[in-house]
Amino acid sequence: MDRPLLGKIALVTGASRGIGRAIAERLARDGADIAIHYGSSRLDAEALAQLCQGLGVRTAVIQADLTDLSDQGGAVRLFAETVRALGVPDIVVNNAGTGRFGPVSDITADDLANVLAVNAAAPLLMAREAARQMRPGGRIINIGSVITDMPAAKRAVYAASKGAVHAMTGVLAQELGPLGITINTVAPGVTNTDRFKVGDASRVPEITSRTALGRIGEPADIAAVVAWLAGPDAAWITGEVIRASGGLRGL
Ligand code: NAP
């Protein structure tokens, strides 16, 4: 079996469920030791750790609330605990995400604070920790969204948070490049996770009809792109936002 990430250490946020879980499993299959971050889904995270251990890699399961932007909590403590448990990560995947969907007239201060913290500020703090500690050859991969170029009503807070991620990717690439670290963002289209099942499941036929490939995405589709960006063949790619949507033309 080809294991291009053998000897690498990867930290995946929001690895308990959905796209993050698929990413963590894929990076483990590719040989990387995995820090599995979760917010509240401890049992799911532990089950994934068992699966990864069965693939012959080391794991650490780490809880952190990514709305906490302090140096003692959230992303900063998560990075530090990964270092303690497995070593300095070679790959950081900022996947954890949350959304509050509704009319702009209903937005609350809490919605704004929480979504911007988890989706935008936590990845930025993670990049700060990486700039301080990651070795040359490091890879940072953010998960953005096609929402930034497919405007849809009732998603203003979420779009603002993902727009920030896309924008910071190019800027950080300029800063991290001289350190030998690349940073890229994968922007999924509609992908089959719990979040989508609860929110928009009735729209699957309509959304499917707007994809070039005739289906919505699976978490493994996104994980494959992340694995490529984490691997040796993507060493020359940085500062890019790569859409992975099956050719979606609108939400
Ligand atoms: P999901 O199934 O809802 O899973 C979200 C993950 O993020 C969970 O592991 C959750 O952890 C973690 N998380 C959320 N809030 C957190 C917090 N405050 N602190 C710590 N962890 C937190 O989401 P998904 O559909 O897989 O989405 C993954 C990423 O892809 C997100 O960034 C999302 O915006 C993006 N995306 C998804 C789609 C889609 O159609 N699914 C499309 C475009 C972009 P716990 O469960 O352990 O709390």
Side-chain angles (χ1 to χ4, degrees), residues 79-138:
F79 196 100
E81 286 195 15
T82 300
V83 174
R84 270 197 293 277
L86 297 176
V88 177
D90 305 287
I91 300 157
V92 171
V93 184
N94 288 307
N95 160 82
T98 187
R100 301 284 185 282
F101 304 109
V104 65
S105 49
D106 290 353
I107 290 172
T108 67
D110 277 354
D111 291 343
L112 264 180
N114 288 337
V115 175
L116 291 174
V118 175
N119 293 7
L124 192 47
L125 284 174
M126 218 42 117
R128 184 189 77 186
E129 297 310 298
R132 291 175 177 174
Q133 301 183 56
M134 219 178 211
R135 285 181 290 269

Side-chain angles (χ1 to χ4, degrees), residues 13-21 37-42 44 63-67 94-98 114 118-119 143-147 158 162 186-196 219:
T13 71
S16 48
R17 296 186 288 119
I19 293 171
R21 186 188 192 287
H37 160 259
Y38 72 97
S40 55
S41 307
R42 181 173 60 85
D44 292 328
Q63 192 280 336
D65 177 2
L66 296 180
T67 63
N94 288 307
N95 160 82
T98 187
N114 288 337
V118 175
N119 293 7
I143 303 300
S145 171
V146 295
I147 187 72
Y158 183 69
K162 292 299 185 180
V186 178
V190 175
T191 308
N192 186 17
T193 67
D194 290 346
R195 174 205 301 237
F196 184 69

Side-chain angles (χ1 to χ4, degrees), residues 143-182:
I143 303 300
S145 171
V146 295
I147 187 72
T148 58
D149 49 10
M150 294 181 196
K154 301 183 181 174
R155 290 166 171 80
V157 182
Y158 183 69
S161 70
K162 292 299 185 180
V165 171
H166 293 199
M168 76 174 77
T169 302
V171 173
L172 288 171
Q174 297 302 314
E175 282 194 45
L176 298 174
L179 302 175
I181 299 167
T182 68

